[in-house]
């Protein structure tokens, strides 16, 4: 119960903080976010009060989240003036680990359960558990970014998908998000969607492999459902590409 409360309060806190990172935060909600974060840490402490290894993991996980969010604000933002987006330099997402780090708190409940079952943090089982969440979270964030790319672009947010789209479109320096919208849509549906779908599928496959080989997952149906939905979304996006291109050409 305390593990779940820790996750719930943590999710509430970072949902509010995320609004501020997106320049949409309301100052009146900041106090609630701070209270929620304190209660999250307290709940995780009550769940495993004598487990110093887990408490250290909690600290490093929160550090990963905050570091990822800070990196995003520093390196994955352009400057919007009217409809003109100015980009000093496109961010380098590398192997996309950044996408998992910003949501790393999702794994804490599952790792806490493993610790209560006396699995060491450096055991193959726990490392496999963390690996599952790592690949699943990357796939999920790519799926979200693919759906939100136009809104992200209009706000100057250089998500992994927006960044790859601009590279595919040969954009550097500046782009008019209104005047260039149709061309960017065409590039997205003709080229970028393949990159996105391939990586979602790849990370889903790696997440599924972590499920299949880890004895911790004795009842993996729920986790498999998470992966199934992302794979289906990636496949559907590719199947809809022709329809989308026809629509863009028509209108």
């Amino acid at each position: 119960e305390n593990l779940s409360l820790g996750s719930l309060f943590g999710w509430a806190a970072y949902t509010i903080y995320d609004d501020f990172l997106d320049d949409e935060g309301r100052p009146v909600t900041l106090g609630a976010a701070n209270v929620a974060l304190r209660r999250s840490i307290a709940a995780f402490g009550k769940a495993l009060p004598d487990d110093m290894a887990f408490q250290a993991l909690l600290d490093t996980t929160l550090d990963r989240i905050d570091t990822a969010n800070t990196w995003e604000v520093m390196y994955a933002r352009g400057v919007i003036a009217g409809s003109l987006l100015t980009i000093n330099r496109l961010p380098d997402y590398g192997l996309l680990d950044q996408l998992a780090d910003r949501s790393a708190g999702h794994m804490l409940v599952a790792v806490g359960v493993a610790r209560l079952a006396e699995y060491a943090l450096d055991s193959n089982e726990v490392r496999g558990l963390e690996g599952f969440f790592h690949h699943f979270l990357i796939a999920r964030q790519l799926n979200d970014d693919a759906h939100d790319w136009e809104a992200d672009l209009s706000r100057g947010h250089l998500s992994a998908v927006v960044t790859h789209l601009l590279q595919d479109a040969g954009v550097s320096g500046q782009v008019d998000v209104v005047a260039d919208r149709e061309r960017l849509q065409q590039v997205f549906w003709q080229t970028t969607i393949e990159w996105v779908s391939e990586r979602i599928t790849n990370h889903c496959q790696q997440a599924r492999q972590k499920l299949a080989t880890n004895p911790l997952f004795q009842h993996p149906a729920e986790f498999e459902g998470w992966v199934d939905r992302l794979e289906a979304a990636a496949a559907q996006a590719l199947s809809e590409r022709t329809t989308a291109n026809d629509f863009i050409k028509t209108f």
Side-chain angles (χ1 to χ4, degrees):
E1 182 177 333
N2 277 311
L3 285 170
S4 294
L5 284 173
S7 184
L8 175 64
F9 282 124
W11 184 247
Y14 279 101
T15 297
I16 296 172
Y17 292 144
D18 197 50
D19 287 340
F20 283 91
L21 295 173
D22 290 340
D23 300 319
E24 297 175 348
R26 294 180 298 138
V28 70
T29 66
L30 187 57
N34 294 337
V35 170
L37 184 59
R38 291 200 305 271
R39 292 190 177 180
S40 173
I41 295 170
F44 280 122
K46 290 178 182 177
L48 296 103
D50 301 320
D51 190 336
M52 294 301 101
F54 181 80
Q55 298 307 319
L57 175 66
L58 172 62
D59 287 342
T60 57
T61 300
L62 294 177
D63 286 346
R64 285 172 61 192
I65 296 170
D66 291 333
T67 299
N69 285 331
T70 301
W71 181 92
E72 184 176 305
V73 172
M74 291 180 63
Y75 301 110
R77 293 289 188 271
V79 178
I80 285 284
S83 65
L84 192 64
L85 169 62
T86 301
I87 305 162
N88 291 327
R89 182 179 181 181
L90 288 173
D92 181 5
Y93 281 91
L95 298 176
L96 304 176
D97 292 343
Q98 156 81 12
L99 305 189
D101 286 348
R102 66 196 304 267
S103 298
H106 278 301
M107 71 171 180
L108 286 171
V109 173
V111 174
V113 171
R115 288 295 293 155
L116 289 168
E118 300 183 349
Y119 284 91
L121 287 182
D122 61 354
S123 66
N124 290 334
E125 291 84 357
V126 172
R127 290 191 182 279
L129 179 64
E130 293 175 343
F132 165 79
F133 277 96
H134 177 82
H135 292 294
F136 166 74
L137 290 170
I138 291 175
R140 196 187 72 163
Q141 189 61 54
L142 284 172
N143 181 66
D144 290 348
D145 288 350
H147 285 88
D148 297 339
W149 74 264
E150 289 191 61
D152 286 338
L153 183 68
S154 68
R155 294 183 298 182
H157 292 184
L158 306 176
S159 70
V161 171
V162 167
T163 297
H164 205 274
L165 168 62
L166 294 176
Q167 291 172 334
D168 288 340
V171 171
S172 62
Q174 289 185 329
V175 58
D176 191 315
V177 298
V178 174
D180 295 333
R181 180 170 177 265
E182 181 177 335
R183 184 174 76 89
L184 292 174
Q185 286 177 332
Q186 291 175 341
V187 173
F188 177 82
W189 285 107
Q190 291 171 357
T191 305
T192 309
I193 193 61
E194 289 191 11
W195 178 86
V196 175
S197 296
E198 286 176 2
R199 273 146 190 82
I200 289 175
T201 300
N202 177 265
H203 284 285
C204 282
Q205 290 173 347
Q206 293 186 69
R208 198 181 297 282
Q209 190 270 339
K210 297 293 184 182
L211 281 177
T213 59
N214 194 335
L216 280 178
F217 294 102
Q218 295 182 25
H219 305 283
E222 180 67 26
F223 300 96
E224 289 173 344
W226 301 353
V227 176
D228 289 343
R229 287 189 286 275
L230 287 174
E231 284 183 326
Q236 183 178 1
L238 286 178
S239 69
E240 291 177 348
R241 179 173 54 178
T242 301
T243 302
N245 284 329
D246 290 343
F247 179 85
I248 292 169
K249 290 176 182 178
T250 302
F251 294 97

